Amino acid sequence: MKVHIAGCGGVGFWLTVGLSRIPEHHDLVCWDDDDLQGGFGRLRLPHAEADTKKIDLLRGFLSMAMGTDQLPTFHHDKFTGLKELGKGDLVVDCTDMNLESKKKLYATVRRKEARIL
């Protein structure tokens, strides 16, 4: 089972850090196509230049904090669930998508027989 973290801003960033600390954590996969410009989630993240990709900030932070090669898989893409999702996977929605977009994503996840929080 893979755990997909959709959105690595103010919530997804720290959720991934916490889950990465579990010694035998699930196969974590992080998705975000955004940088630190706009929104207020960046105020809860380690300081970086505005054009820094959230995924790159998360990867660097985990490398420094964890001191291990056991890092999640990182994707500089928006999570869609269309290709990347397997039966039984778990998706944790940490995005700020609008309600209509969330409904489409949730329907895709259910069609793939996965779960979403």
Side-chain angles (χ1 to χ4, degrees), residues 11-59:
V11 174
F13 185 98
W14 294 111
L15 175 64
T16 302
V17 170
L19 291 175
S20 295
R21 291 181 178 277
I22 299 171
E24 296 179 16
H25 65 272
H26 295 283
D27 189 4
L28 293 176
V29 185
C30 301
W31 300 84
D32 202 312
D33 65 344
D34 203 6
D35 56 29
L36 297 175
Q37 298 180 48
F40 294 105
R42 72 182 187 286
L43 299 176
R44 296 186 294 268
L45 301 177
H47 178 74
E49 296 297 320
D51 62 349
T52 302
K53 293 287 189 180
K54 293 174 187 174
I55 285 290
D56 295 333
L57 181 62
L58 177 58
R59 180 188 294 116

Side-chain angles (χ1 to χ4, degrees), residues 37-117:
Q37 298 180 48
F40 294 105
R42 72 182 187 286
L43 299 176
R44 296 186 294 268
L45 301 177
H47 178 74
E49 296 297 320
D51 62 349
T52 302
K53 293 287 189 180
K54 293 174 187 174
I55 285 290
D56 295 333
L57 181 62
L58 177 58
R59 180 188 294 116
F61 184 86
L62 284 173
S63 294
M64 185 232 14
M66 304 300 289
T68 179
D69 293 332
Q70 300 282 347
L71 297 176
T73 302
F74 300 98
H75 293 280
H76 286 94
D77 300 305
K78 186 176 286 191
F79 180 80
T80 64
L82 295 174
K83 297 178 189 174
E84 56 274 345
L85 196 56
K87 182 177 180 179
D89 284 358
L90 174 64
V91 177
V92 183
D93 179 9
C94 300
T95 69
D96 57 359
M97 289 188 290
N98 63 45
L99 186 57
E100 287 305 311
S101 297
K102 284 184 181 278
K103 285 180 180 179
K104 290 177 186 174
L105 175 62
Y106 285 34
T108 299
V109 171
R110 284 191 215 98
R111 258 192 327 276
K112 297 276 193 155
E113 298 183 44
R115 298 166 294 155
I116 190 162
L117 296 173

